[in-house]
Amino acid sequence: RDYINSQGHKMNKGKVGNTHIFNEKALKGFTDFVFIPEGELDAASFYEIGFNACGLGGQNIRRMTAAAKRQKPAKSLVFIIVLDNDTSEQTAATVGNNADDLKAELNNLGYTAAVIKDFYDGHKDANEYLCSDKAGFTNKCKQVIEELRAAAQSKEHQSEGQAADDQSEGQTAAA
């Protein structure tokens, strides 16, 4: 995270002070889908194109779990976890593990969560995607939401079918 500025001084691009969940209080009002990117600017990029988002303020997944406990959003809310496309293999592995861990923690709280890897189609993050291809970014968000809706409906139909099968087996056994 260090870099050399134009005057030749070594600078650090890291955040200073505590990080927080960007837009945490809005979790209470969300009922369908919320994108969970890493940064605040990335969350604002989702808002720019009309989608709900809360930024992690980095990769600290425990803060999102704590936010969900505090804000108690509707159980119908689906968390769509879309962390940055990091370039180094070590960082990418850490991000992947963090995304999977966050999904598991949200599932344990009774929420549906999906990790979408390679969401940004070669871009580093949401803001870069928005700045270079707003239409593509918008379409990608719509596509992911439609795929998640379709998967939920398919799962619902399978559950209904299983319940009907169980009921007919019970009626057959009673006859």
Side-chain angles (χ1 to χ4, degrees):
R1 301 203 119 193
D2 290 339
Y3 71 100
I4 306 297
N5 69 13
S6 61
Q7 286 88 29
H9 297 104
K10 188 175 183 179
M11 304 296 290
N12 186 306
K13 289 176 32 176
K15 294 181 182 182
V16 177
N18 292 330
T19 59
H20 63 282
I21 299 298
F22 175 79
N23 201 29
E24 172 186 332
K25 290 186 180 178
L27 281 173
K28 280 186 178 180
F30 298 155
T31 58
D32 52 0
F33 295 92
V34 60
F35 285 92
I36 308 296
E38 280 183 48
E40 297 89 342
L41 191 56
D42 296 324
S45 297
F46 284 98
Y47 268 98
E48 171 75 19
I49 59 170
F51 295 97
N52 297 327
C54 290
L56 291 175
Q59 294 180 21
N60 192 332
I61 63 169
R62 287 183 183 82
R63 286 194 177 94
M64 179 53 74
T65 306
K69 288 177 182 176
R70 277 191 303 275
Q71 301 302 328
K72 298 178 177 56
K75 292 295 182 178
S76 61
L77 183 63
V78 176
F79 291 80
I80 304 172
I81 304 163
V82 288
L83 303 185
D84 291 357
N85 284 337
D86 290 297
T87 53
S88 79
E89 285 182 35
Q90 183 178 9
T91 303
T94 300
V95 168
N97 291 339
N98 284 348
D100 292 335
D101 290 346
L102 177 55
K103 177 184 175 187
E105 288 191 26
L106 290 167
N107 290 160
N108 288 339
L109 292 175
Y111 295 101
T112 301
V115 175
I116 310 297
K117 296 185 177 167
D118 301 320
F119 175 81
Y120 299 113
D121 291 339
H123 302 280
K124 180 188 169 295
D125 57 24
N127 188 254
E128 184 178 290
Y129 201 171
L130 172 70
C131 291
S132 64
D133 184 5
K134 185 174 184 176
F137 182 46
T138 303
N139 289 334
K140 182 70 170 210
C141 292
K142 289 177 182 177
Q143 173 193 349
V144 165
I145 287 173
E146 289 307 313
E147 288 173 2
L148 290 171
R149 276 194 180 121
Q153 287 174 348
S154 175
K155 187 176 178 181
E156 195 174 289
H157 289 302
Q158 288 175 351
S159 295
E160 289 171 1
Q162 183 62 44
D165 289 346
D166 291 347
Q167 185 178 16
S168 67
E169 285 178 19
Q171 289 173 351
T172 303

